[in-house]
Amino acid sequence: MRDADARSVVEYLCAVDGQGEQVSRMLSRLLWEYFAHFAPSADLVSEIAPSFLSSGQLVVADGLRAIFKHPSFYSAASRNGKVKNPIEWSVMVLRALSLRAPYFPDNKYDPLQQGGTDAMGLQLFFPPTVFGWWRRPETRWLGLPSILAKSAVLDAIVPRLRQNPKHALWKLLKLPSDEAV
């Protein structure tokens, strides 16, 4: 289905009397599950859903704005409520260490590009279903093979960080443990 077809279906559903509210509730629940955590409360969905409808029209940008500005979006449940897939984990590590991908210019070993995510339990272009990976948490991303693959990624990154004494990680290492946290 093309984007234009999908848009026309959603616009049709919103135009039918009483369906716009149901579509906005469904979208708010699905987008909350995608960006924050699984199984949002009915009260939370009811709070966010009206922002998707603006004078009878579906406005996804307004709904996303409401999700991202909601106080529950920044709660501990949202930060820790989802198992991060290996790609999300890899990107988080690179961003936390202020690194760019690919970080391995010699192309000798790049655990993030040469099967590193496969070892973590995610084959990048082979999702388990047509919905991808986000619809269900994958327990294999938490197992020992995944932990070992993540340690291999860190083992490949840390020596590069040690070569750069201007990296912010060095400042963090010099701090006492109570201040570093």
Side-chain angles (χ1 to χ4, degrees), residues 63-86:
L64 288 173
R65 190 174 296 112
I67 287 173
F68 296 143
K69 288 186 174 186
H70 198 277
S72 296
F73 184 76
Y74 299 98
S75 68
S78 293
R79 283 194 310 270
N80 305 321
K82 284 177 62 176
V83 175
K84 303 290 188 266
N85 72 42

Side-chain angles (χ1 to χ4, degrees), residues 83-153:
V83 175
K84 303 290 188 266
N85 72 42
I87 299 298
E88 290 173 323
W89 182 86
S90 302
V91 169
M92 285 175 20
V93 167
L94 291 174
R95 289 196 65 189
L97 296 176
S98 301
L99 299 175
R100 293 177 182 241
Y103 185 65
F104 303 91
D106 52 3
N107 288 327
K108 289 182 181 175
Y109 176 65
D110 184 352
L112 295 179
Q113 292 182 359
Q114 297 174 357
T117 57
D118 292 353
M120 291 182 210
L122 184 142
Q123 290 180 302
L124 187 56
F125 295 109
F126 298 100
T129 68
V130 294
F131 297 110
W133 296 276
W134 76 273
R135 291 296 301 225
R136 59 169 202 227
E138 298 285 343
T139 55
R140 67 176 178 252
W141 297 338
L142 300 173
L144 182 62
S146 178
I147 292 170
L148 294 175
K150 289 175 183 178
S151 69
V153 169

